[in-house]
Amino acid sequence: MYVMETSSTKRVLGWTMPSSETHYPEQFMGYNGNLYQKRQRKIAFMFCGKRRGVAIDVGANIGLWSRAMCDHFEHVELFEPDQLNRQCLTDNLAHKYHNHTIHPCGLYSESRSATLYGTTDSCGNKSIHPDAGTVETTCELRTLDEFEYPSVDFIKIDTQGTELEILLGAVDTIKRCEPIVCVEVTPSVRDHQEERDINDYFDSVGYEAVGGWKKDK
């Protein structure tokens, strides 16, 4: 494995990531990072059929889903609240993809400032819940409904325990646009939300579960 490193980021198998990141290099061993969670993406995109206009990546991180979404949709709206992750995301999309907009904020059920918690060894575990780690940064949160998108075909949400809160701030968008929604439900954050709560939410907006793979429903 060859790594090009700066003071804050490094390049591993074609991906820019924080220099302290260890999770992704371990996951990438033996194959290109483009295959990371490929099965989840393939299943999720399958349900979109020919609806390939606007997609939204909530918790875009360094772009592991974002690249594939840019390949499959006309335009992708990316939400990533962490500044260093956003720097990596920008670099990972800059050379090939131009059909995207990166928003320097996270999403939630209300607009407010927040503290992000995490660890130094994994940039994918950032959360506004203090039990996510001891490394703290600040961020801004908004609701998806504030953006008043006229058309949305697909939404992916992976935010380490705030998925339900984000959905609560997206009720109008989901009812109006009727997108396919892919939500990660992580057992480690069930103190903050239960899978049944997410199921109850989707029942309330007239949705049903149609498939998934591992944590992605």
Side-chain angles (χ1 to χ4, degrees), residues 97-164:
Y97 300 101
H98 307 287
N99 57 331
H100 65 275
T101 303
I102 298 176
H103 299 276
C105 63
L107 296 180
Y108 201 61
S109 57
E110 61 181 355
S111 295
R112 65 181 179 90
S113 298
T115 299
L116 275 178
Y117 300 90
T119 60
T120 58
D121 62 342
S122 178
C123 64
N125 64 2
K126 299 293 178 69
S127 173
I128 64 171
H129 298 298
D131 57 3
T134 58
V135 178
E136 299 183 18
T137 55
T138 59
C139 70
E140 294 299 317
L141 303 176
R142 297 179 63 181
T143 70
L144 183 59
D145 285 342
E146 288 179 49
F147 291 84
E148 298 183 336
Y149 292 114
S151 176
V152 178
D153 295 311
F154 179 77
I155 301 175
K156 164 258 180 184
I157 308 175
D158 179 357
T159 56
Q160 305 301 304
T162 56
E163 287 84 359
L164 179 59

Side-chain angles (χ1 to χ4, degrees), residues 170-189:
V171 172
D172 293 343
T173 302
I174 289 175
K175 287 183 174 180
R176 180 176 66 255
C177 301
E178 300 182 351
I180 301 297
V181 184
C182 178
V183 181
E184 183 184 79
V185 182
T186 309
S188 62
V189 296

Side-chain angles (χ1 to χ4, degrees), residues 10-77:
K10 60 186 177 184
R11 191 87 171 159
V12 179
L13 291 175
W15 291 88
T16 299
M17 60 189 69
S19 56
S20 60
E21 175 69 34
T22 61
H23 173 72
Y24 289 142
E26 291 174 357
Q27 293 292 316
F28 291 178
M29 289 291 269
Y31 60 85
N32 188 292
N34 291 325
L35 300 180
Y36 182 76
Q37 294 188 337
K38 182 179 179 179
R39 183 181 291 271
Q40 289 93 319
R41 294 192 293 271
K42 181 179 180 180
I43 292 172
F45 297 162
M46 175 184 69
F47 288 104
C48 294
K50 296 182 179 180
R51 294 184 57 185
R52 302 296 175 105
V54 175
I56 297 176
D57 188 352
V58 188
N61 195 243
I62 66 170
L64 294 167
W65 275 67
S66 306
R67 277 188 180 181
M69 291 169 73
C70 286
D71 281 331
H72 284 267
F73 295 90
E74 293 179 11
H75 192 84
V76 184
E77 301 285 329

Side-chain angles (χ1 to χ4, degrees), residues 76-90:
V76 184
E77 301 285 329
L78 309 170
F79 291 87
E80 175 49 51
D82 183 78
Q83 183 176 1
L84 182 55
N85 284 355
R86 212 162 49 242
Q87 176 185 335
C88 297
L89 173 66
T90 300

